[in-house]
């Protein structure tokens, strides 16, 4: 990546970036200097990301700093352009960075960008909204809203938010068309992933591949609050019961959530309103990302 400075565009509003405050720019310049890269740094608000990405769309690689929501937004802008996305893990959970083996330490991440290689990955799309990890409706969206309404750190606010959701647990009747096959199910939680999410012991919530070209669909079976807690504990250790815990399990190229009006859906952890019917599809190899030359073991 020698030559012109590498564009580095960072959402300064969230996650680790916000916690660094006024030192953010100095920390990033120091990390890339350690990696031997000259950068063109832009610290922007979340709603300015797309515009800033467009201004640098002729660059072969753009580094983006932020959480998975920011990365999903950036992926939507860069998809199909030939510009590769390099990831600076500056979010709260950094699911995609972990998935791709990108170090969470900023200096190591900068070195991985400097010495990395281009690798294709699939993207998922709901209407015109691109997402990199997953989309979910039902219980999780209510959890996020309750957590955002609480004060204090996100991890601490999750506890009262979860209790609130359990007290007001409800199932929804959902009509789905999965690769042309219509199904009507009742579920408290619909989850659609970009590629296959594992339920196996030792790899729960991970994906072995981001290039298999499928959506994975999980619709939780109706449960009481106690049954839901028991399921969460079993699933955490890879002991979900595929026959009894789920109302529907599928892999598909397209999923249509039928209906009318608006529905709340969390895309990569960020809750938005979407218009029904909503078509979700997989877009194979839509984006190139910079990954380490040798992926570290999990």
């Amino acid at each position: 990546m020698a030559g012109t400075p590498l564009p580095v565009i960072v959402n300064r509003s969230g996650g680790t970036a916000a916690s660094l405050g006024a030192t953010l720019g100095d920390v990033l310049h120091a990390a890339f200097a350690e990696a031997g890269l000259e950068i063109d740094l832009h610290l922007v608000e979340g709603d300015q990301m797309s515009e800033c990405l467009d201004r640098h769309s002729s660059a072969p690689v753009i580094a983006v700093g932020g959480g998975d929501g920011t990365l999903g937004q950036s992926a939507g802008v860069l998809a199909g352009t030939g510009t590769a996305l390099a990831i600076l893990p500056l979010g709260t959970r950094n699911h995609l960075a972990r998935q791709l083996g990108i170090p969470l330490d900023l200096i190591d991440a900068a070195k991985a960008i400097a010495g990395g290689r281009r690798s294709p990955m699939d993207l998922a799309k709901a209407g015109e909204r691109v997402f990199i990890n997953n989309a979910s409706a039902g219980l999780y969206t209510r959890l996020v809203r309750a957590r955002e309404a609480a004060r204090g750190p996100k991890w601490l606010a999750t506890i009262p938010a979860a209790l609130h959701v359990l007290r007001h647990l409800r199932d929804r009747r959902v009509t789905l068309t999965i690769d042309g096959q219509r199904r009507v199910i009742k579920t408290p939680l619909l989850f659609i992933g970009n590629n296959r999410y594992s339920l196996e012991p030792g790899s729960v919530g991970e994906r072995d591949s981001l290039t298999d070209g499928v959506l994975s669909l999980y619709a939780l079976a109706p449960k009481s609050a106690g049954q839901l807690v028991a399921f969460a504990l079993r699933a955490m250790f890879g002991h979900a019961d595929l026959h009894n815990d789920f109302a529907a399990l599928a892999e598909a190229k397209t999923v249509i959530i039928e209906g009318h009006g608006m529905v709340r859906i969390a895309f990569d952890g960020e809750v938005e309103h979407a218009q029904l019917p909503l078509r979700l599809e997989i877009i194979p190899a839509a984006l190139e990302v910079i990954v380490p030359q040798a992926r570290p073991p999990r």
Side-chain angles (χ1 to χ4, degrees), residues 194-232:
N194 173 15
N195 280 265
R196 299 181 178 95
Y197 274 77
S198 173
L199 295 172
E200 298 299 318
S203 61
V204 174
E206 296 183 3
R207 292 169 286 180
D208 288 332
S209 172
L210 284 169
T211 56
D212 285 339
V214 294
L215 299 172
S216 55
L217 182 148
Y218 304 86
L220 196 61
K223 297 181 182 299
S224 68
Q227 289 172 332
L228 184 60
V229 172
F231 161 75

Side-chain angles (χ1 to χ4, degrees), residues 75-250:
V77 175
L78 299 181
T81 64
T83 298
L85 172 66
I87 296 171
L88 280 173
L90 285 168
T92 303
R93 291 188 172 85
N94 301 304
H95 289 298
L96 184 62
R98 295 174 189 271
Q99 175 74 47
L100 296 172
I102 295 167
L104 300 186
D105 176 81
L106 285 179
I107 293 177
D108 290 339
K111 290 178 178 178
I113 293 171
R117 58 183 175 85
R118 299 169 75 108
S119 179
M121 69 169 280
D122 302 339
L123 296 176
K125 195 173 184 181
E128 295 303 313
R129 174 62 155 89
V130 169
F131 59 96
I132 52 175
N133 294 326
N134 53 70
S136 60
L139 183 152
Y140 181 72
T141 61
R142 296 196 295 276
L143 174 66
V144 172
R145 293 182 72 220
R147 184 178 64 196
E148 290 177 348
R151 296 181 178 180
K154 184 182 291 188
W155 66 269
L156 188 59
T158 298
I159 299 171
L163 293 174
H164 172 81
V165 169
L166 288 173
R167 284 197 301 269
H168 299 87
L169 190 63
R170 60 183 182 270
D171 304 319
R172 292 291 178 88
R173 186 181 178 88
V174 182
T175 301
L176 303 172
T177 300
I178 305 170
D179 281 347
Q181 300 296 312
R182 191 169 183 269
R183 294 191 62 178
V184 180
I185 60 173
K186 195 173 183 181
T187 179
L189 173 65
L190 177 66
F191 176 100
I192 299 173
N194 173 15
N195 280 265
R196 299 181 178 95
Y197 274 77
S198 173
L199 295 172
E200 298 299 318
S203 61
V204 174
E206 296 183 3
R207 292 169 286 180
D208 288 332
S209 172
L210 284 169
T211 56
D212 285 339
V214 294
L215 299 172
S216 55
L217 182 148
Y218 304 86
L220 196 61
K223 297 181 182 299
S224 68
Q227 289 172 332
L228 184 60
V229 172
F231 161 75
L233 292 173
R234 286 187 286 103
M236 189 184 305
F237 295 100
H239 299 301
D241 184 331
L242 300 186
H243 296 289
N244 296 317
D245 284 332
F246 296 95
L249 290 170

Side-chain angles (χ1 to χ4, degrees), residues 27-79:
V27 168
L28 291 171
H29 276 293
F32 279 99
E34 182 77 13
L37 282 180
E38 183 182 355
I39 63 172
D40 178 16
L41 180 62
H42 303 268
L43 305 179
V44 301
E45 299 298 329
D47 59 3
Q48 300 171 324
M49 291 292 299
S50 294
E51 179 186 351
C52 196
L53 285 161
D54 282 335
R55 289 204 307 269
H56 294 83
S57 58
S58 61
V61 178
I62 297 177
V64 172
D68 289 312
T70 297
L71 296 177
Q73 177 187 0
S74 302
V77 175
L78 299 181

